[in-house]
Amino acid sequence: MPITAIVLAAGEGTRMKSRHPKVMHKVLDSPLVGWAVRSAQEAGADRVVVVVGNGADEVRSYLSAFDGVETVEQTQRLGTGHACRVALEGAGVTEGTVVVLSGDSPLLRAQTVRDLAQRVDSGKESGCVLTMTPPDVTGYGRVVVDEAGRVQAIIEHKDCTPEQREALRECNSGVYAFDARELNAHIGQITNNNVQGEYYLTDMIQIMREAGLAVSSVHCDDYAELLGVNSRIQLAQATKIMQRRINEAHMAAGVTMIDPDQVWIGPDVTIGQDTVIWPGCYLLGATTVGTECTIGPDSRLTNATVGNNVLADETIIVDSTVDDDVHCGPRAYLRGGAHFCRGSKAGTHVEIKGSTVGEGSKVPHLSYIGDATLGKGVNIGGGSITCNYDGKHKSHTEIGDNVFVGSDTMMVAPVTIGDGALVGASSCITQDVPAGALALERSRQFVKEGWATEYFKKLKEED
Ligand code: UD1
Ligand code: CA
């Protein structure tokens, strides 16, 4: 039977004190709602329906990048039961298993969701609630069980008697699995006769039980998995837990981290065996790193494709590719589709944008190379720059194989330097240089023997 995940994400999130919806705040590079969607998809959900409301446009536009994710808008926040009903009706969820998740709980593991869904998917039960026992139970709905330990009902903190608040320690995590037919059949019975005047989804448990349906609970022993994010402090706490979880998975798979507390890796990053990551590194987006690399210290890789045996020392690589055996840094900045081919080098204080640097070519010191193609075995002298922008247009620079460009050369694009050419230092190259040619653009040097000695002597005599 199909599994549909309903992610409740319409809430206000006032405690974030933000102009953005709560679920768009990020834990390691992914908005909170992205984590919920990811767990649902990893758990095998065939459909994911996200209930949006507060900041709906922002959430919808982010989710449009995901395959198989639908959104339904809840225009009035009348409670979790209402939100769920809006999803069922809006997306037309009529059969199979429904799993309900909160958009603000990024730490929930896919395996936990899968196990919960299985209880209903197997046909054994019509409803199952995931419970937890946090150290501080304040604010959570409490799970009421009978003598046999079977779940009877959930009572919201605000609706509990003082005795219930004290006695009931098992709490509702806000994650559930339901049989879609039974959920549809009974969701209309939820009322808003409670302290908050809201339609509580939690009431489904008692309603289903009273209808003679089998309902149960599953206890999640790792309470941290269910940590909800309601404030920036909790956002930082969730980030810390997720950072540890991700880093430990990479270390278990053969990646060395000198200090995992100082390494931040996003959920979609892959890293090969025997790569060493030094402190101060961020690996984000769709970054892949090969084997035997050294990353950092202090490097940031965003949507970077990095081969094997690469050194990225104090280097920023954004939307760019670095092949095997490339050395970068310290302090290199590769961006906008830069491509360093095998064995090439980006040295110190260099910026490379939208350029291909051929095999074994070097840009070692203080250069800007933008919109250029460099062949194999090229050497770019220190301080040399491609002048690719005239204030309006970007133009291309073409540099052939085995070209030697002297230091402090300006290459005014569009311009081509042929294979094996040599450009003398300090030249301003505005015309194409043929293959094998020498190009030199500088005024002749002026020398007067003994002039300086006389000059300084005179200055001293004046004192
Ligand atoms: C809910 C549970 C509580 C549980 C707790 C766990 C209810 C009534 N209570 O309480 O038993 O212990 O989660 O964290 O369900 N939302 C909507 N539309 C609405 C209302 C809420 O989309 O009209 C979304 C919120 O954005 C949030 C989720 O549903 O993502 C939970 O709502 P929230 O108001 O935070 O419920 P809690 O008070 O935390
Ligand atoms: Ca909450």
Side-chain angles (χ1 to χ4, degrees):
M1 289 301 261
I3 296 177
T4 303
I6 294 177
V7 179
L8 306 182
E12 312 277 337
T14 41
R15 276 186 283 160
M16 294 302 284
K17 306 248 166 65
S18 175
R19 281 155 51 195
H20 301 279
K22 175 167 82 175
V23 293
M24 285 306 292
H25 286 265
K26 288 181 177 176
V27 161
L28 290 176
D29 200 30
S30 166
L32 295 171
V33 67
W35 286 102
V37 168
R38 219 176 243 111
S39 322
Q41 289 185 328
E42 245 179 78
D46 302 281
R47 292 175 75 185
V48 178
V49 180
V50 180
V51 182
V52 296
N54 183 48
D57 290 342
E58 195 177 335
V59 183
R60 254 197 301 248
S61 119
Y62 164 67
L63 289 173
S64 64
F66 284 79
D67 278 341
V69 175
E70 304 155 63
T71 57
V72 170
E73 186 160 354
Q74 184 195 25
T75 46
Q76 277 181 297
R77 251 69 76 208
L78 301 180
T80 49
H82 177 255
C84 190
R85 185 173 180 173
V86 164
L88 291 174
E89 288 168 4
V93 183
T94 51
E95 55 169 20
T97 298
V98 170
V99 192
V100 181
L101 312 176
S102 273
D104 60 358
S105 298
L107 299 164
L108 184 62
R109 290 178 196 270
Q111 188 58 46
T112 308
V113 179
R114 200 177 294 131
D115 292 346
L116 190 74
Q118 185 54 30
R119 300 284 287 248
V120 172
D121 202 42
S122 63
K124 272 208 300 250
E125 284 145 17
S126 300
C128 187
V129 53
L130 189 67
T131 67
M132 59 181 179
T133 313
D136 180 7
V137 296
T138 313
Y140 289 115
R142 306 304 161 74
V143 177
V144 181
V145 295
D146 65 12
E147 310 77 50
R150 282 182 306 236
V151 60
Q152 299 293 294
I154 296 166
I155 312 177
E156 285 307 287
H157 180 90
K158 287 181 178 159
D159 296 288
C160 283
T161 62
E163 294 74 34
Q164 285 172 321
R165 274 179 207 168
E166 258 319 296
L168 302 173
R169 311 310 289 179
E170 189 177 359
C171 296
N172 170 27
S173 71
V175 181
Y176 322 79
F178 294 110
D179 175 79
R181 283 174 200 275
E182 300 298 354
L183 184 61
N184 275 294
H186 296 280
I187 200 159
Q189 287 166 246
I190 296 178
T191 66
N192 62 353
N193 299 327
N194 50 56
V195 172
Q196 301 189 84
E198 284 183 10
Y199 295 87
Y200 294 162
L201 184 59
T202 49
D203 287 356
M204 270 328 285
I205 297 298
Q206 190 171 352
I207 291 170
M208 282 190 165
R209 189 181 54 76
E210 284 171 0
L213 299 167
V215 288
S216 71
S217 62
V218 173
H219 190 264
C220 180
D221 296 335
D222 181 10
Y223 139 77
E225 247 188 84
L226 296 155
L227 218 76
V229 172
N230 299 301
S231 66
R232 309 247 184 184
I233 292 167
Q234 288 172 333
L235 187 71
Q237 288 166 344
T239 299
K240 199 75 215 161
I241 294 169
M242 190 56 88
Q243 176 199 26
R244 218 162 269 162
R245 195 191 280 178
I246 290 175
N247 288 356
E248 284 175 4
H250 286 294
M251 289 188 282
V255 175
T256 293
M257 292 183 196
I258 309 289
D259 181 357
D261 273 337
Q262 296 186 65
V263 172
W264 290 266
I265 300 177
D268 301 326
V269 173
T270 62
I271 309 172
Q273 254 181 15
D274 292 317
T275 283
V276 178
I277 306 189
W278 286 75
C281 286
Y282 302 79
L283 279 64
L284 306 172
T287 289
T288 63
V289 175
T291 61
E292 307 273 356
C293 294
T294 302
I295 309 296
D298 299 320
S299 292
R300 174 159 60 86
L301 277 52
T302 304
N303 302 323
T305 305
V306 174
N308 303 324
N309 193 32
V310 166
L311 169 69
D313 180 5
E314 269 192 83
T315 290
I316 294 175
I317 305 177
V318 182
D319 301 325
S320 293
T321 302
V322 167
D323 295 345
D324 295 352
D325 307 316
V326 168
H327 281 203
C328 305
R331 302 198 185 161
Y333 180 23
L334 279 48
R335 64 183 178 95
H339 179 190
F340 272 74
C341 301
R342 190 190 195 98
S344 58
K345 179 178 174 172
T348 302
H349 294 280
V350 298
E351 178 180 357
I352 316 286
K353 187 218 95 181
S355 298
T356 298
V357 175
E359 269 185 44
S361 291
K362 290 176 180 159
V363 188
H365 330 275
L366 299 153
S367 282
Y368 170 64
I369 302 294
D371 305 313
T373 306
L374 279 61
K376 296 177 189 168
V378 171
N379 188 84
I380 303 287
S384 294
I385 281 169
T386 54
C387 310
N388 63 327
Y389 184 51
D390 61 8
K392 191 168 180 196
H393 313 96
K394 299 274 170 71
S395 301
H396 189 80
T397 300
E398 185 81 27
I399 301 177
D401 292 341
N402 303 311
V403 168
F404 184 94
V405 174
S407 298
D408 192 33
T409 295
M410 301 295 120
M411 290 162 274
V412 182
V415 74
T416 298
I417 302 174
D419 291 346
L422 191 155
V423 179
S426 192
S427 294
C428 180
I429 299 300
T430 54
Q431 293 165 28
D432 290 352
V433 178
L438 164 72
L440 192 60
E441 189 284 329
R442 68 164 95 115
S443 48
R444 268 186 194 284
Q445 191 167 325
F446 174 88
V447 175
K448 264 199 162 179
E449 293 282 350
W451 190 92
T453 316
E454 285 302 312
Y455 174 72
F456 291 125
K457 210 164 106 194
K458 218 192 269 157
L459 287 188
K460 223 170 190 178
E461 283 165 8
E462 279 170 16
D463 284 343

